[in-house]
Amino acid sequence: MAATIVTTFDNVSIKKIAFKFKGAEAGLATDCNGQLSGETEMQTIVKKCGSTEVKSKSKPIAMTVTITAHVPVDVYRKFYGLKQDERIIPGVYSYGPDSVGEDFALSAEIVDDFEENEKLLGFLNCTSNTGLTFTIENGADEVAALELETKVMTDEFNKFYHEAIVAELESDITDAWMGNLSADVIKASTSNP
């Protein structure tokens, strides 16, 4: 079977972003998304001969992903570590010095309307990178989306980031990727020669 090679992919829109918190059966998705951006922190190693740089190599050491979206309440609470305290009446969620966000896998489905194709993005080992912030404005023309900053750590493959253009896959794994992203979803089968 000949492999499909996609030569052009334009990131036009974000169809869906999903958060699969550790221990959860399935991911929690949001389809009301504004922006998804990632930034890699690099470490540069330089070889000098006297004061002249003769060689230089840079390698990624950390990654930060920022999500701007309207997320479900459950994602908001788990991301920031808002919990019910048994000393406080049920239905009240609290945030304080003991609040720790839950670790999660982050997945996104990106659409290229020009080529009628989709790309899957995955970050298997994420945690909240910022504390609780909010802005509420009376009379605003638009409801503000939340901005969630995520620290991405290396996963069991020693990677930060995974992507797949759906047309290049042997079989469409979009549902598994977006609903239950884990290393098992992307791991190569050991039965293949």
Side-chain angles (χ1 to χ4, degrees), residues 135-144:
T135 302
I136 303 164
E137 179 185 347
N138 268 348
D141 293 340
E142 183 179 346
V143 176

Side-chain angles (χ1 to χ4, degrees), residues 8-151:
T8 302
F9 189 95
D10 296 305
N11 297 314
V12 175
S13 62
I14 305 164
K15 183 175 183 179
K16 187 187 304 184
I17 295 175
F19 301 77
K20 183 175 183 288
F21 291 94
K22 281 194 177 174
E25 293 288 318
L28 298 167
T30 175
D31 55 4
C32 187
N33 304 296
Q35 185 173 346
L36 180 69
S37 61
E39 184 176 348
T40 303
E41 183 181 333
M42 303 294 284
Q43 177 184 37
T44 302
I45 302 165
V46 177
K47 178 180 179 181
K48 290 185 177 185
C49 187
S51 62
T52 305
E53 290 184 15
V54 292
K55 291 183 180 181
S56 176
K57 292 284 181 187
S58 295
K59 65 179 187 174
I61 59 170
M63 186 171 215
T64 302
V65 173
T66 304
I67 305 129
T68 305
H70 295 280
V71 299
V73 172
D74 202 24
V75 168
Y76 169 79
R77 289 177 177 157
K78 289 180 178 189
F79 186 88
Y80 288 115
L82 277 83
K83 298 201 182 312
Q84 290 186 322
D85 186 317
E86 61 189 35
R87 301 169 297 170
I88 299 172
I89 61 172
V92 175
Y93 290 79
S94 303
Y95 180 80
D98 61 344
S99 297
V100 177
E102 296 180 28
D103 293 342
F104 59 96
L106 177 69
S107 55
E109 190 174 356
I110 310 301
V111 177
D112 178 351
D113 290 328
F114 299 113
E115 302 297 324
E116 297 181 2
N117 205 346
E118 294 183 352
K119 182 193 299 183
L120 304 172
L121 308 182
F123 311 86
L124 298 178
N125 192 8
C126 301
T127 192
S128 170
N129 199 33
T130 55
L132 177 65
T133 60
F134 58 88
T135 302
I136 303 164
E137 179 185 347
N138 268 348
D141 293 340
E142 183 179 346
V143 176
L146 289 176
E147 185 173 288
L148 308 172
E149 187 175 293
T150 302
K151 185 74 166 182

Side-chain angles (χ1 to χ4, degrees), residues 1 27 83 161 172 180 192:
M1 178 168 119
K83 298 201 182 312
Y161 169 82
D172 188 347
N180 197 19
N192 289 340

